[in-house]
């Protein structure tokens, strides 16, 4: 059992209190998000950074990715549904607390810590936390091996990661974590130093090259449990869905064709000198779905210190369909847009057809909706014509199979509609309102327009 007076418990407390400072700032200040990425503004980032225990040494003109701790808090708060994006004055996007936040604040500090760790592990899309787009980096898959290594170390004994004269397996393992090595340091798993020489050589702040890692007693204890009972690829919802698991059920067994299962032996052979025997790691075949994430960690703490979380667990929480009239604003530019009202039972394919008609296009190409508002991301709802052809499984339905009521839409939700994969007509779609009282239209209706529609073929 961990001593409540230990340095490691203090690290948990610092993390939770820094997160509370972040939350309190959003609660007491009007936080408007940037237009392009819908992230925190520079002035808010600079102010918040000065009140964090782990500060970033950067200019006041830096963007969100230059503040790794705040970048992490931003995604944890949204993924945990403690904060939400909404529409402010003049259509701006703002960040505001949810009703769920009051429930979070009733938890003990230890319970808050494990709720945030659970959110990080299950509900946060790790691709959104990345600082780079290097596809060769697979932190979801290499993290279990890094934690297995940490679980075998001694607390407070520094481990040298970088070897100047040759490439070692530790360097390969921890370099693949990139900024996730720093995220785990914030959670108190270890202390980490950055390889400044390598940073200067690369000339990029988007890469975090680890030089040394010093595990904490907390990190060793948590790593051992996470390896044995909470295998990351099996618990992370986004990763499961991207590998063809439509339910994304945390803790369910991984399919044999899952990317991690296929690459597991490769990772083991690549790191053979580090892992002569894999003693602790879950093999991904146990069925742990339905278990409370924090349950195996309870024995580490005094009785009553860790016994609750937010209920139900977000990863298992069924979506509640909202019926009514959905009005969306579909924009090509700020001066060319259409507002369309649809029934909650209309599908995304119906929305596609309505957009085609509203902009006088010919409906002669494939299309996709990107529900995370990022073009060509893996959160893609493709056109029905792609079924069984070019579409690679991501666990989601096709556009004609998904009604608006089941698409996890809410007022202020923004997503993208991309038509014609060659010319790439990109439309921004924002849910303006959801009216649960009015009579629903039998077919989509254009209720407001601005600007002349462009020629689909301008030649």
């Amino acid at each position: 059992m961990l001593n409540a007076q230990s340095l490691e418990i203090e690290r948990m407390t610092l993390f939770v209190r820094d997160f509370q400072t972040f939350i309190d700032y959003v609660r007491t200040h009007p936080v408007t998000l940037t237009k392009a990425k819908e992230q925190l503004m520079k002035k808010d980032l600079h102010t918040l950074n000065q009140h964090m225990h782990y500060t970033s040494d950067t200019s006041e003109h830096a963007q969100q990715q230059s503040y790794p701790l705040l970048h992490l808090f931003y995604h944890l708060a949204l993924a945990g549904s403690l904060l939400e994006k909404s529409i402010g004055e003049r259509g701006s996007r703002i960040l505001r607390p949810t009703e769920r936040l009051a429930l979070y604040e009733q938890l003990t500090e230890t319970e808050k810590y494990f709720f945030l760790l659970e959110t990080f592990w299950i509900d946060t899309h790790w691709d959104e936390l990345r600082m780079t787009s290097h596809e060769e980096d697979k932190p979801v898959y290499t993290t279990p091996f890094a934690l297995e290594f940490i679980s075998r170390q001694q607390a407070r004994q520094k481990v040298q990661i970088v070897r100047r004269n040759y490439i070692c397996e530790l360097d390969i393992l921890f370099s693949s974590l990139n900024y996730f090595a720093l995220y785990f340091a914030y959670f108190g798993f270890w202390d980490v130093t950055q390889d400044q020489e390598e940073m200067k050589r690369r000339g990029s702040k988007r890469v975090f090259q680890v030089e040394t890692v010093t595990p904490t007693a907390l990190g060793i204890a948590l790593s051992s449990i996470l390896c044995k009972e909470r295998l990351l690829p099996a618990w992370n919802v986004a990763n499961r869905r991207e590998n063809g698991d439509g339910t994304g059920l945390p803790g369910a067994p991984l399919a044999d064709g899952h990317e991690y299962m296929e690459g597991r032996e490769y990772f083991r052979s690549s790191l053979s000198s580090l892992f002569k025997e894999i003693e602790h790691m879950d093999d991904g075949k146990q069925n742990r779905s339905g278990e409370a994430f924090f349950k195996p960690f309870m024995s580490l703490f005094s009785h009553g210190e860790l016994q609750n979380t937010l209920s139900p667990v977000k990863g298992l929480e069924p979506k509640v369909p909202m019926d009514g009239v959905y009005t969306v604003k579909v924009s090509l530019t700020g001066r060319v847009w259409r507002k369309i009202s649809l029934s909650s039972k209309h599908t995304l394919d119906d929305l596609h057809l309505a957009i085609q008609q509203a902009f006088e296009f010919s409906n002669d190409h494939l299309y996709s909706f990107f529900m995370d508002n990022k073009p060509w991301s893996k959160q893609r709802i493709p056109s029905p014509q792609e079924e069984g052809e070019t579409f690679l499984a991501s666990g989601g339905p096709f556009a004609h199979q998904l009604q608006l009521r089941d698409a996890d839409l809410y007022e202020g939700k923004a997503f993208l509609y991309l038509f014609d994969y060659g010319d790439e007509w990109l439309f921004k779609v924002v849910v303006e309102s959801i009216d649960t009282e009015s009579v629903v239209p039998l077919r989509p209706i254009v209720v407001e327009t601005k600007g002349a529609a462009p020629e689909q073929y301008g030649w």
Side-chain angles (χ1 to χ4, degrees), residues 280-326:
H280 295 155
M281 288 179 61
D282 184 351
D283 62 6
K285 296 181 180 179
Q286 292 85 356
N287 185 7
R288 304 185 188 279
S289 61
E291 292 183 12
F293 175 81
F294 68 86
K295 185 176 179 180
F297 304 98
M298 293 175 66
S299 61
L300 298 176
F301 302 93
S302 302
H303 178 70
E305 195 173 343
L306 177 59
Q307 59 183 359
N308 291 307
T309 187
L310 296 194
S311 182
V313 177
K314 186 175 184 289
L316 303 176
E317 183 178 293
K319 297 174 182 177
V320 179
M322 185 175 293
D323 291 320
V325 181
Y326 285 62

Side-chain angles (χ1 to χ4, degrees), residues 171-226:
D171 192 1
I172 296 172
L173 177 59
F174 279 89
S175 65
S176 70
L177 295 185
N178 209 318
Y179 268 88
F180 285 83
L182 197 54
Y183 298 151
F184 279 102
Y186 297 147
F187 271 103
F189 279 62
W190 52 63
D191 292 317
V192 64
T193 61
Q194 191 173 20
D195 184 358
Q196 298 296 335
E197 183 176 317
E198 181 67 12
M199 290 291 294
K200 290 180 181 178
R201 188 186 71 81
R202 295 195 182 194
S204 172
K205 292 185 177 180
R206 293 297 178 90
V207 176
F208 188 90
Q209 184 69 42
V210 177
E211 183 174 37
T212 67
V213 169
T214 306
T216 64
L218 173 69
I220 292 170
L222 297 185
S223 295
S224 179
I225 293 173
L226 288 168

Side-chain angles (χ1 to χ4, degrees), residues 128-139:
E128 295 179 355
L129 281 173
R130 292 158 66 119
M131 299 296 188
T132 69
S133 58
H134 295 162
E135 289 298 325
E136 63 270 20
D137 290 340
K138 297 285 187 181

Side-chain angles (χ1 to χ4, degrees), residues 357-376:
Q357 184 175 3
F359 285 89
E360 302 175 13
F361 277 24
S362 301
N363 188 26
D364 52 355
H365 290 282
L366 300 175
Y367 67 90
S368 284
F369 288 94
F370 296 92
M371 305 312 290
D372 59 355
N373 207 30
K374 297 178 182 179
W376 298 116

